[in-house]
Amino acid sequence: MGSSPIVTCGSSSGAAAGGGGWRLHNGNAGGKINSVNNKNGNHNHDQSCVLSSTFAFFIVSFVVLGSIGSLYGRYVLTPNVRGGITALGCEEDNEGSWSVGVFYGDSPFTLKPIEHMNIWKDKSAAWPVANPVVTCASLSDAGFPSNFVADPFLYVQGDTLYLFYETKNPITMQGDIGVSRSIDKGATWEQLGTVLDENWHLSYPFVFDYNGNIYMMPEGSANGDLRLYRAINFPLKWTLEKIIMKKPLIDSYIIPHEGKFWLLGSDHSGIGTQRNGQLEIWHSTSPFGPWKPHKKNPIYNTVTSIGARNGGRPFVYNGSLYRIGQDCGETYGNRIRVFKIEVLTINKFKEVEVPFGVEESIKGRNSWNGARSHHLDVQQLGSGEWIAVRDGDRVPSGDVFRRFVLGSASVVAVFGFVILVGMLLGAVKCLVPLSWCPHDTGKRSDTFLAWERSNLLSSKLRLFCSRLNRASSILRARIRPNTCSGVVVLILTISVAVTVTCTGVKHIYGGTGAQEPYLFNGHYSQFTLLTMTYDARLWNLKMYIKHYSRCSSVREIVVVWNKGTPPQSSEFDSAVPVRIRVEKQNSLNNRFKVDPLIKTRAVLELDDDIMMTCDDIERGFRVWREHPDRIVGFYPRLVDGSPLKYRGEVHARKHNRYNMILTGAAFMDGRAAFERYSSEEAGLGRALVDSSFNCEDVLMNYLYANGSSSSVAEYVRPAWAIDTSKFSGVAISRNTQAHYGVRSNCLMKFSEMYGSLTHRKTEFGKRIDGWDVYQAVNFALG
């Protein structure tokens, strides 16, 4: 009798022993091929798809690629988590992650961010106060959940500033109007909450005075009209005063000019209207109307990049009227453009663009306004100084949707590459099971065959299945995996599959890619990054500066040049100023020399061969701001034993204690720490550092401990850290045993000079946020 014949896919020779792919078995209990006609003339076949090694190949492939993607996401990417948010709010929003910053200047064209004012607030535990000053985080932490804040307008009452803005409610996903108050020129803000919440989207809260009353004219185009509200209990309670226009105008404001009131806005509801490239003007003798259209309406109805859509309140400077517009060319709200209005009458309108003059950040997504900025409100204070509020976003419009599309495409591509590798290896021999192919479903009636021949779709599907199932054999015939060229193709295909896997993880898990700062006491700050190096380590330094200058809170990088010909600042690719401080003597004590040119309280001492993520740096800065009297860093040590012996981090982990932080990667109060190190009391210690050319970080820990009765060291775990000097052969401490011996000698002598550290032990894992729990991949510092 024999066994049942086997029909295979993509090969006329059948599935040889051990052949992969789908196999179709047709037969009866007696082993004969038999078709049984039923009453309708159809044929029933005992068919079953038997899964071979193909299934195992797919499982193994996706387990391996999934593991690679997980490791990539765990150790390389920063999760898309907004720093410091404990309440509802700051959810990912396809409209963006807008926030608001404060700027000051002698004119509207010389504005500088608030951090340049060097404002020091004791409760901030750091100075200067830095932008952004109002964010979704500050609102959410205050009990007013928000996904973002945008479209800021100022209202000034004496020394008090009120800030009105659009706030995105994360529950209703609708724009409401919120308000914050500052009594210290915008350094800190009290979040007062939502002041206007309608059943439709609200934004652009233009606030102005008229006849002793305060009015607000928010954009509410979703309701099809333009409404004017009057404050009845400023700033929290408003009532509808009048619907001034039955027209869905967008981003509108009212200004008095040459005896008339002018209303400028955009109407995107009409046929043929150029969205974000359209502007209309209306005029009246009163803010309440009636409003008459300008003779030239629409003033603009063209490309979105010309700045037609309004981007904030107009202002008057040196007798001239200026309009702010949005450039929406590359993305919605891409940037601000300023125009000088030269003619504004009922018949004519003319404006010319003028330079804005505000320096833009080049930190990209690590900067709060690195991707776009679309709104500015600038006003002159009674002191003559100009103040401005401006919104900004770190991601372009539609970023969430774009990442979803790219992530989904990556998943599909990975699946395709897995199939390709399987075909090259012979594990995948059939892409479509025979039972899915119209031409392989067994014997069919003449009527069905005639219908099938006349049906174009079925014919094409039959042809497609046939070609698809032959693809594996054809591919293996042309690219033989047992040849050199075949191996190269296989390796390249696997490499591309791994790359695409990581790309997909980056888009799906990695979020926006921004490594944001962490809020503390309602606002942000900045720090100075200081490193010490010499000419043999220049390649390290260039990579170091390029990377860390993009971290959000870095204000300036100071390079202490100890030996050799110093480089020029222009040689570095930096997003912040770089200052080269050339020293006369090659001494490790130069690291802690008093430097009056440093403009921040916080200083991060970071060796030029240590590479870690900006997110690790930002978390360390956040922890230091909680306790600015401590050394907060990433490399803990435990000083104990009798006699004292210097040991590595493993010793501290073994005893679950630490009492020293290496200052090769640590935050400290620059003024206090450097003055302490330069004091007469520290003279003997500095002399020992010079004689041994080692131990400056150990001395700083002893000096801190000597000046405090409480804990002076705090550890923050990095996600990963790499010592790049290991790859260049220019590490300062190459002989670990000798290096540790010198440090053990320092420990004993510093203990005699400044007292013991052994009783100041701190346990790992004491922080509620878990930032001191050891999970890091650490390859750095001695």
Side-chain angles (χ1 to χ4, degrees), residues 217-257:
M217 188 177 71
E219 185 257 297
S221 60
N223 197 48
D225 55 26
L226 187 60
R227 299 185 170 212
L228 200 62
Y229 297 81
R230 176 172 51 86
I232 55 178
N233 184 14
F234 185 84
L236 294 175
K237 194 171 182 180
W238 302 75
T239 186
L240 176 63
E241 184 75 5
K242 185 178 181 180
I243 299 176
I244 62 174
M245 191 177 294
K246 290 284 188 178
K247 196 174 179 70
L249 289 184
I250 293 173
D251 295 354
S252 306
Y253 53 73
I254 298 172
I255 55 170
H257 180 69

Side-chain angles (χ1 to χ4, degrees), residues 491-513:
I491 292 175
L492 287 175
T493 305
I494 294 174
S495 300
V496 172
V498 171
T499 302
V500 175
T501 298
C502 294
T503 301
V505 171
K506 177 180 179 181
H507 289 301
I508 295 172
Y509 173 77
T512 65

Side-chain angles (χ1 to χ4, degrees), residues 705-763:
N706 189 46
S708 174
S709 58
S710 61
S711 176
V712 295
E714 188 158 359
Y715 165 70
V716 178
R717 68 166 178 84
W720 55 263
I722 299 174
D723 184 350
T724 60
S725 68
K726 305 299 184 185
F727 307 109
S728 64
V730 294
I732 293 176
S733 306
R734 299 182 190 179
N735 188 326
T736 301
Q737 185 175 358
H739 174 59
Y740 278 25
V742 172
R743 285 177 164 256
S744 296
N745 181 58
C746 290
L747 288 177
M748 291 184 287
K749 292 188 176 181
F750 288 154
S751 294
E752 296 172 1
M753 297 176 187
Y754 306 110
S756 176
L757 285 177
T758 55
H759 64 287
R760 297 175 178 272
K761 298 175 183 177
T762 303
E763 292 183 7

Side-chain angles (χ1 to χ4, degrees), residues 122-139:
D122 289 339
K123 70 176 184 178
S124 74
W127 51 267
V129 174
N131 280 329
V133 296
V134 178
T135 68
C136 65
S138 51
L139 262 68

Side-chain angles (χ1 to χ4, degrees), residues 530 579 581 583 589-598 670-679:
L530 187 147
R579 178 162 57 93
R581 198 179 81 197
E583 300 293 345
N589 290 320
N590 292 332
R591 179 194 292 271
F592 303 120
K593 181 182 290 187
V594 174
D595 188 342
L597 296 180
I598 290 178
R671 288 188 179 179
F674 296 171
E675 289 175 358
R676 186 175 299 168
Y677 195 91
S678 302
S679 67

Side-chain angles (χ1 to χ4, degrees), residues 27-59:
N28 56 20
K32 297 181 180 179
I33 302 176
N34 184 33
S35 297
V36 181
N37 294 334
N38 61 17
K39 294 180 181 179
N40 297 320
N42 295 327
H43 303 280
N44 290 331
H45 303 278
D46 181 17
Q47 301 177 353
S48 62
C49 282
V50 179
L51 221 54
S52 67
S53 59
T54 302
F55 182 74
F57 167 76
F58 279 123
I59 292 296

Side-chain angles (χ1 to χ4, degrees), residues 102-121:
V102 173
F103 296 75
Y104 289 94
D106 296 327
S107 80
F109 301 101
T110 59
L111 297 171
K112 295 185 180 298
I114 193 171
E115 48 263 31
H116 286 262
M117 303 297 293
N118 284 334
I119 296 175
W120 185 352
K121 283 292 175 185

